[in-house]
Amino acid sequence: MINVLESLKAISNVTTEAGNTPAPGQVNLKQCVIQHGDGAFYDVSEIVSEIHMFEDIEQVGVTGYLQIVDNINLIRNGLILGEELLWLKFTTGGAGQRGADLENFAVDYGSDNDAPLYIHKIEEIESPQTSFGTTTQSVITYRLHFCSTEMITNDRVRISKTYQGTISDIVYDVMTKELGVTKKPVTITETKDLHHFVVPNIRPFKTIRQMAEESLSKKDDHSNYLFYETTQGYHYRSFDSLL
């Protein structure tokens, strides 16, 4: 188990002793590759200026975007359509100075984990202005929006099925078999009592959210279950277990 407070203190001590405290927003980008089709890969690490990633305890799925400063016109030459996979891995500034143990703090959707993100939209395509007030065609900037691949799968799948058993077991079954979550951690607070559910042609995320309304924790009988994703995997947990 990682002791977060001790690890943060260790980072602080190293950067303070080195006299090189990381700037806010600084990241160590380890991998940023766009996969188009079966065999076309584009390393875009050199043209990424910003990484914005969002996780919300009230939302299912990680979202975000890359701010791109493109001097090679990747949109045309690389045929980015907004349906590509994104292999992304980075750590916050200063993490690398503590050695391999802080790999646990990396945001890792890289090829080693076989759990990529999904590019679903391109927006705000602009040509920066020159000092003379005109626009330049040699460089363009834009945002590549991405999300968890399970969010796309969820929009394409509907469940028509009867389930019996504990809700925690049913949720795990939906996550692994219907959504195909096998490469990411799935943390589930075990529930009590057996249930019978008839799922009438609805999407997996909605199925799990409906089951959350009837879940009782096996450990303490508490309800109020939450279903969400962070960069550390999916979570189906009682609110009390978070505290």
Side-chain angles (χ1 to χ4, degrees):
M1 179 66 69
I2 303 170
N3 188 314
V4 177
L5 291 178
E6 291 300 322
S7 297
L8 291 176
K9 289 178 181 178
I11 293 174
S12 177
N13 292 336
V14 169
T15 54
T16 301
E17 293 169 3
N20 184 26
T21 302
Q26 178 182 337
V27 298
N28 178 16
L29 185 56
K30 296 178 177 294
Q31 184 180 29
C32 189
V33 175
I34 294 174
Q35 178 182 348
H36 177 77
D38 293 331
F41 294 85
Y42 309 101
D43 188 340
V44 297
S45 303
E46 298 299 323
I47 59 175
V48 174
S49 63
E50 300 174 15
I51 302 174
H52 297 257
M53 182 168 283
F54 312 104
E55 52 186 26
D56 190 336
I57 199 171
E58 296 182 352
Q59 299 292 330
V60 182
V62 169
T63 60
Y65 65 87
L66 302 177
Q67 185 69 42
I68 304 294
V69 180
D70 188 353
N71 59 358
I72 57 176
N73 200 349
L74 189 63
I75 294 179
R76 176 180 297 175
N77 298 329
L79 299 175
I80 296 181
L81 305 175
E83 297 181 354
E84 288 75 30
L85 297 179
L86 172 65
W87 305 92
L88 178 66
K89 182 177 181 180
F90 64 91
T91 59
T92 54
Q97 299 182 40
R98 284 297 299 159
D101 60 318
L102 286 184
E103 283 291 308
N104 293 290
F105 286 96
V107 175
D108 191 358
Y109 292 90
S111 54
D112 291 341
N113 276 355
D114 196 21
L117 297 159
Y118 187 94
I119 296 175
H120 64 89
K121 183 170 67 174
I122 306 172
E123 70 171 8
E124 298 192 14
I125 302 176
E126 299 176 351
S127 296
Q129 286 192 339
T130 66
S131 58
F132 300 102
T134 59
T135 58
T136 174
Q137 299 301 316
S138 60
V139 176
I140 56 175
T141 63
Y142 49 88
R143 291 181 177 180
L144 291 180
H145 287 262
F146 58 79
C147 64
S148 302
T149 54
E150 292 80 19
M151 296 179 71
I152 304 300
T153 303
N154 178 70
D155 286 339
R156 297 174 176 174
V157 172
R158 288 181 178 269
I159 301 176
S160 295
K161 195 172 182 179
T162 299
Y163 288 99
Q164 289 182 325
T166 62
I167 294 180
S168 53
D169 287 342
I170 296 173
V171 168
Y172 184 79
D173 187 78
V174 172
M175 290 296 296
T176 56
K177 294 182 179 179
E178 305 298 337
L179 286 170
V181 182
T182 57
K183 304 297 183 180
K184 298 179 181 179
V186 179
T187 303
I188 298 177
T189 300
E190 193 173 1
T191 61
K192 65 181 298 184
D193 301 329
L194 299 178
H195 291 262
H196 179 92
F197 290 102
V198 178
V199 182
N201 193 36
I202 59 178
R203 291 188 171 90
F205 284 168
K206 185 175 181 180
T207 300
I208 295 175
R209 284 186 176 277
Q210 289 182 350
M211 292 180 181
E213 297 175 1
E214 301 186 33
S215 295
L216 287 176
S217 173
K218 184 177 181 180
K219 181 178 180 181
D220 48 28
D221 283 344
H222 287 146
S223 56
N224 300 319
Y225 267 67
L226 300 170
F227 175 51
Y228 59 96
E229 183 191 10
T230 70
T231 55
Q232 302 301 315
Y234 279 93
H235 303 263
Y236 184 81
R237 303 177 62 180
S238 66
F239 183 79
D240 294 272
S241 72
L242 299 177
L243 302 178

